[in-house]
Amino acid sequence: KPQLVASNDRFCRFLEEYCPVVTETYYPTIWCWEGRVQTLLRPFITSRPQVQYRNELIKTADGGQISLDWFDNNDSLYYPDASTRPTVLLLPGLTGTSKESYILHMIHQSETLGYRCVVFNNRGIAGEDLLTPRTYCAANTEDLEAVIHHVHSLHPSAPFIAAGVSMGGMLLLNYLGKTGRDTPLMAAAIFSAGWNVFESVESLEKPLNWLLFNYYLTTCLQSSISRHRRMLEKLFDMDLVMKARTVREFDKQFTSVMFGYRTIDDYYEDASPCRKLKSVGIPVLCLNSVDDVFSPGHAIPVDTVKQNANVALVLTSCGGHIGFLEGVWPRKCTYMDRVFKQFVQAMFEHGNKIFSM
C-alpha cells in the first residue's frame, strides 16, 4: 500500500473518501516493476490518446512568447457552459510538451469528466520561435504566473486546478510556495517532482543512471535549444553549452547563467521545491515513488510535508519516474492517471468539504 503522509486529519479523511486510490494497494506490472525499467519503458508501452488541440501564442512582458495548447472540450455533457467549465492547467516535464503520452492521458481522463485542459509549453520547445534569448528553468515562475493570470482572465468563473509532472511539478510547487493563498488556483496535483535538485543530479550522475538517463536528457536539452542557436548566441558560448555531457554541466554553462545566478549551487538551491513547501497555501497532493532515480526517496521532504496542513504526499515503493505502470500489459491507464483523475474530480466536485470534514 502507498504511504499517505499529511498533518491534517481532515485532508486525509477527504482523500480517503473522495480519492480512495491513494489508500489502495498499488500492484506494479510484475515484469517491469523496477524503477529504472518502469521509467524507461513507460513512453514506449503506454498508448497515445488522440487529442485535437487549439494553439494560442501569448506575449510576455519581456517581449517573448509562450505556446499554449487548449483542449476546450466543447462537447462536454456535464459542463455545457464554457464560462463555468472546470479548467485544468497541465505542466509537462523538463523537455516535454503537450505531445507527451502522460499529458495526453491526463487530457483523456479530464475529457471523460467534462473538463477543459490547457497545456503550458515552456518557451521554445513546442515549435514556436524564441523572440528573446531566454528559455526557462525550474526556479523562475514568471512565465507560469503570466499563463495562470491569462487563463483565469479568460474564464474567471471557472474552477481552476493545475497539475505538474517532473520539472513541471517543481515549477508549480515553486510558484505555490511563492504565492501562498494569493492564486486563482483552488488546488494542485504534483507527480514525480524532484524535491532537492542537489540530490537529484547526484543520483543521476551515478554511472548506470548517467548511462541510462543523464546523457540522454542532456542531449534532449541541447536539442531543444539548438534550433534557436542564432538567437541564443547573442548571450552564450553555444559551442561550450553543446559540449555538456551531464545535466549539471548544461545548467552550469547555460541555465544558471541565463537566469542570473552567481553559481550553479545558487540556482539549484532556488529551484528545489523542498525549500518553499511550508508556504504553500492551497490543497496540494503529491505523488512520488521512492525508487525514482530522478527524485531519490531519501530526499523526499516527508517531515516538511507534515508541517503544512495544505499538503499531502503519497509515496509508493515502486513506480520509478512518471512510471507507475500496473496490470499485465499497461497500455492505457497507470496508477498516476488514476490518482490524477480522482483527485481532480474530488476537488472540483467536493473541494468545499475539504476543511469541514
Side-chain angles (χ1 to χ4, degrees), residues 91-96 102-103 106 138 163-174 189-195 200 204 217 271 273 287-288 292 294-295 321-322 336:
L91 287 71
L94 184 58
T95 57
Y102 56 83
I103 294 293
M106 287 180 170
V165 181
S166 191
M167 195 214 75
M170 296 165 64
L171 182 64
L172 182 53
L173 283 166
N174 285 329
I190 311 292
F191 302 101
S192 295
W195 290 95
S200 293
L204 287 170
L217 193 56
L287 174 65
N288 280 88
D292 182 351
F294 287 76
S295 185
H321 187 70
I322 328 175
M336 176 178 128

Side-chain angles (χ1 to χ4, degrees), residues 72-109:
D72 296 301
N73 205 3
N74 288 325
D75 296 327
S76 172
L77 297 177
Y78 299 109
Y79 301 97
D81 184 353
S83 66
T84 56
R85 185 176 303 145
T87 303
V88 184
L89 174 65
L90 300 174
L91 287 71
L94 184 58
T95 57
T97 68
S98 58
K99 298 177 182 178
E100 304 304 319
S101 62
Y102 56 83
I103 294 293
L104 298 174
H105 276 273
M106 287 180 170
I107 292 175
H108 178 66
Q109 300 284 359

Side-chain angles (χ1 to χ4, degrees), residues 181-221:
R181 293 182 182 177
D182 188 20
T183 173
L185 296 174
M186 63 180 293
I190 311 292
F191 302 101
S192 295
W195 290 95
N196 184 316
V197 184
F198 295 100
E199 299 289 348
S200 293
V201 294
E202 185 173 326
S203 172
L204 287 170
E205 285 169 357
K206 293 178 179 178
L208 182 56
N209 294 340
W210 178 86
L211 187 66
L212 292 175
F213 304 109
N214 200 329
Y215 181 70
Y216 173 73
L217 193 56
T218 305
T219 60
C220 287
L221 286 165

Side-chain angles (χ1 to χ4, degrees), residues 57 132 162-163 182 255 258 265 279 284 305-306 309 315 318 324 337:
L57 293 175
T132 62
D182 188 20
T255 316
M258 172 174 284
D265 285 355
S279 303
V284 175
V305 168
K306 293 177 181 177
L315 285 176
C318 305
F324 303 102
D337 296 331

Side-chain angles (χ1 to χ4, degrees), residues 42-43 46-54 67-72 88-112 115-122 125-126 161-169 172 189-192 321-323 331-334 336-338 340-341 344:
R42 181 205 52 79
T46 52
S47 62
R48 305 180 66 83
Q50 290 295 313
V51 174
Q52 192 69 40
Y53 287 119
R54 171 177 62 86
S67 174
L68 301 179
D69 281 321
W70 289 85
F71 174 72
D72 296 301
V88 184
L89 174 65
L90 300 174
L91 287 71
L94 184 58
T95 57
T97 68
S98 58
K99 298 177 182 178
E100 304 304 319
S101 62
Y102 56 83
I103 294 293
L104 298 174
H105 276 273
M106 287 180 170
I107 292 175
H108 178 66
Q109 300 284 359
S110 301
E111 180 183 13
T112 63
Y115 307 150
R116 168 176 46 226
C117 294
V118 53
V119 185
F120 166 38
N121 298 295
N122 284 300
I125 63 168
I161 283 176
V165 181
S166 191
M167 195 214 75
L172 182 53
I190 311 292
F191 302 101
S192 295
H321 187 70
I322 328 175
R331 283 278 295 160
K332 294 185 178 179
C333 191
T334 69
M336 176 178 128
D337 296 331
R338 294 197 293 131
F340 166 81
K341 182 178 183 179
V344 170

